[in-house]
Amino acid sequence: MPNLEDIIKLVDRQNRWRRQECLNLIASESVMSPLAEKYYISDFHGRYNEHSGPERHYCGTIHSYEIEELCNQIFRERFETPFVDVRPISGAIANMVVYTAFARPGDIIVALGIPNGAHVSSTQWGIAGVRGLKSIDMFFDIENMNIDVENTVKLIDKVKPKIVMLGASVILFPEPVKEIRERIDPKIKIVYDASHVFGLIYGGVFQQPLEEGADLITSSTHKTFQGPQGGIVIGSKNLSGEEWQKVETAIFPGIMSNTHIHRFPALAITALEMNEFGKDYAKQVVKNAKVLAESLYEKGFDVLCPNLGFTESHQILVNVSKFGGGKPVSELLEESNIICNKIALPTDKPQDATRNPSGIRLGVQELTRWGMKEEEMRTIAELFKKVLVEEKNVKNEVIELKNRFNEVHYCFKLG
Ligand SMILES: Cc1ncc(COP(=O)(O)O)c(C=O)c1O
């Protein structure tokens, strides 16, 4: 039987290993600021706050409602829209909300498709499938790692989906939101799943999907936007009140009961920090991603899209098939405390895509959060070479490098 000491030791080991001793390049993760972490734990944890608009269904929730509204207000101002809801507890649940609001079982949605970078929630294997929706893959231009607008518009005209899902888990470049919006039936909802790039959008250095014609943004709040794990739905100011009401009803009573209200203070703090530091942070993220990509490329790694400057986001993709594929490569890097994940590239065969795909995906948002800049990106490319080409273990060098960056940046000071 495990005892208390086992549990505490495990948490201490995790804290030490992943925070102090690793270089984290998982593109979907980050760390909160110390101030956000401090206010993550409060009495809000463990309380309920079911409500339909301002009509509260529980007593004792005056401040819960206030803190939720305070979050909504910050995002409303940033995105210049009256329509924000922070109750979905994750990005995938935010997608479920829009599927519930704007489609019925049996309806079609058009989405990117897993090999081209879609999240599973927009496919038949994930939430779209669970909701009874038929998800059809759009056309993809592999060379440019982006949506093939011409053929996708033809597809949309033919299959008449209720929703077109844009945004992606693998996203190097802004997507053609405007081009698609201008060419499809205005009744079809365009939803931009910004989970990965929300911090870059918030910081103003990536595309602005609502301004480009998306009807809604769904997102996680904990990837490049470095808040607590959670979700958000933001509607364009051009939605009608009736349409937004469908979103609200899908959230409650549709999908949520307990909305994890303990995350709201941390979410609000992170958003205020992004108002203050988000532009500098997001600029540095993209700069770092480009430098890491260039440095790896110069060392002979097959980084995708050299002709397009590799990336405009926090991510870069490396084809590591010459080193045995994404699975052994990511595991070998993990032995040196460099943490990243294997990823399917659009050229992979379906049977390889989950087992041992050709790619690894690297995200620099957390390294940037720790204060690393261009020089450190070059050092990290050198560490990749040592591990994968020279077959060395560089754990000690990784720990030494990380130890120089133990303070979270782009945030308010604690206390
Ligand atoms: C594009 C996209 N959408 C949704 C999700 C799911 O987000 P969450 O883990 O917050 O449910 C992810 C997760 O990585 C994602 O990449």
Side-chain angles (χ1 to χ4, degrees):
M1 166 76 82
N3 61 32
L4 190 57
E5 206 184 320
D6 295 329
I7 298 164
I8 293 167
K9 266 193 190 156
L10 196 58
V11 175
D12 287 344
R13 275 210 301 272
Q14 167 76 6
N15 284 346
R16 196 176 54 245
W17 184 48
R18 290 296 303 273
R19 285 236 165 167
Q20 294 170 19
E21 299 178 348
C22 285
L23 296 174
N24 187 38
L25 287 141
I26 302 276
S28 53
E29 298 180 347
S30 200
V31 287
M32 284 195 285
S33 73
L35 195 66
E37 275 194 340
K38 179 174 174 193
Y39 286 97
Y40 187 71
I41 298 170
S42 70
D43 183 76
F44 287 123
H45 182 268
R47 305 293 173 198
Y48 275 79
N49 183 27
E50 289 179 355
H51 63 84
S52 309
E55 188 198 335
R56 298 183 287 127
H57 299 303
Y58 274 76
C59 286
T61 57
I62 296 167
H63 302 309
S64 308
Y65 188 71
E66 279 172 355
I67 189 72
E68 186 184 312
E69 263 305 291
L70 213 137
C71 287
N72 287 337
Q73 207 182 325
I74 299 170
F75 288 102
R76 279 186 203 125
E77 278 179 32
R78 167 61 189 86
F79 288 95
E80 296 175 351
T81 172
F83 304 129
V84 172
D85 203 307
V86 292
R87 285 178 292 175
I89 55 168
S90 81
I93 296 297
N95 286 343
M96 188 173 197
V97 166
V98 295
Y99 300 153
T100 308
F102 298 109
R104 290 176 187 282
D107 283 343
I108 289 172
I109 66 168
V110 166
L112 204 55
I114 296 268
N116 305 324
H119 186 252
V120 68
S121 57
S122 66
T123 72
Q124 69 191 70
W125 301 280
I127 289 176
V130 170
R131 285 287 311 156
L133 306 179
K134 185 165 181 235
S135 181
I136 299 180
D137 292 359
M138 55 183 73
F139 287 88
F140 197 71
D141 173 353
I142 293 179
E143 205 170 312
N144 291 309
M145 285 300 287
N146 216 324
I147 296 162
D148 169 348
V149 176
E150 208 53 44
N151 286 310
T152 296
V153 166
K154 279 188 202 146
L155 174 76
I156 292 168
D157 284 346
K158 187 164 157 221
V159 303
K160 303 191 183 340
K162 285 287 186 312
I163 297 170
V164 173
M165 287 299 290
L166 301 179
S169 295
V170 178
I171 180 161
L172 298 176
F173 304 108
E175 292 181 343
V177 180
K178 188 163 179 281
E179 291 84 336
I180 293 177
R181 175 76 287 166
E182 280 169 356
R183 294 180 57 184
I184 66 170
D185 182 344
K187 286 201 288 299
I188 298 171
K189 291 279 170 280
I190 292 186
V191 177
Y192 189 101
D193 178 347
S195 290
H196 262 270
V197 286
F198 193 50
L200 306 182
I201 291 172
Y202 200 104
V205 305
F206 205 66
Q207 67 186 140
Q208 301 298 310
L210 296 178
E211 289 170 24
E212 293 162 31
D215 297 290
L216 297 127
I217 285 177
T218 56
S219 187
S220 306
T221 53
H222 51 266
K223 298 182 186 350
T224 52
F225 187 92
Q226 302 174 311
Q229 288 190 326
I232 187 168
V233 181
I234 306 173
S236 153
K237 59 175 179 253
N238 301 324
L239 287 185
S240 67
E242 202 181 313
E243 285 173 315
W244 183 249
Q245 188 51 47
K246 287 185 185 175
V247 173
E248 296 280 287
T249 308
I251 291 173
F252 184 82
I255 294 167
M256 305 306 312
S257 171
N258 155 20
T259 57
H260 297 191
I261 54 182
H262 66 283
R263 67 196 158 90
F264 294 149
L267 182 62
I269 289 168
T270 309
L272 291 183
E273 289 174 336
M274 285 295 286
N275 287 350
E276 191 87 10
F277 308 103
K279 196 173 183 88
D280 288 345
Y281 153 73
K283 269 191 190 162
Q284 190 63 46
V285 167
V286 177
K287 226 189 263 180
N288 282 353
K290 282 178 178 291
V291 172
L292 181 59
E294 266 161 27
S295 310
L296 286 168
Y297 188 72
E298 280 164 12
K299 293 186 189 316
F301 288 97
D302 296 326
V303 187
L304 267 60
C305 300
N307 52 327
L308 299 171
F310 304 105
T311 184
E312 294 294 331
S313 76
H314 62 305
Q315 295 185 6
I316 67 176
L317 296 175
V318 190
N319 184 328
V320 288
S321 43
K322 69 184 178 199
F323 299 103
K327 184 171 163 35
V329 162
S330 54
E331 288 170 359
L332 192 63
L333 287 163
E334 187 186 38
E335 285 173 25
S336 282
N337 281 5
I338 298 173
I339 311 294
C340 67
N341 63 288
K342 63 182 163 79
I343 201 91
L345 300 180
T347 42
D348 280 336
K349 296 195 187 78
Q351 64 268 29
D352 296 329
T354 43
R355 205 174 41 88
N356 183 19
S358 314
I360 52 171
R361 180 185 65 174
L362 309 177
V364 298
Q365 72 292 341
E366 184 170 329
L367 300 179
T368 310
R369 178 70 142 167
W370 289 115
M372 294 190 192
K373 295 202 164 150
E374 291 89 321
E375 188 188 331
E376 289 72 40
M377 296 303 117
R378 292 188 195 100
T379 307
I380 291 167
E382 186 58 34
L383 293 173
F384 269 72
K385 184 170 166 227
K386 285 187 182 170
V387 174
L388 298 175
V389 180
E390 299 166 18
E391 299 181 3
K392 290 183 181 152
N393 185 302
V394 297
K395 191 186 266 190
N396 290 337
E397 283 177 70
V398 166
I399 295 173
E400 189 275 322
L401 172 59
K402 180 62 188 60
N403 273 336
R404 290 196 279 121
F405 294 89
N406 273 333
E407 219 177 277
V408 174
H409 287 58
Y410 308 102
C411 58
F412 300 134
K413 293 277 167 277
L414 184 61

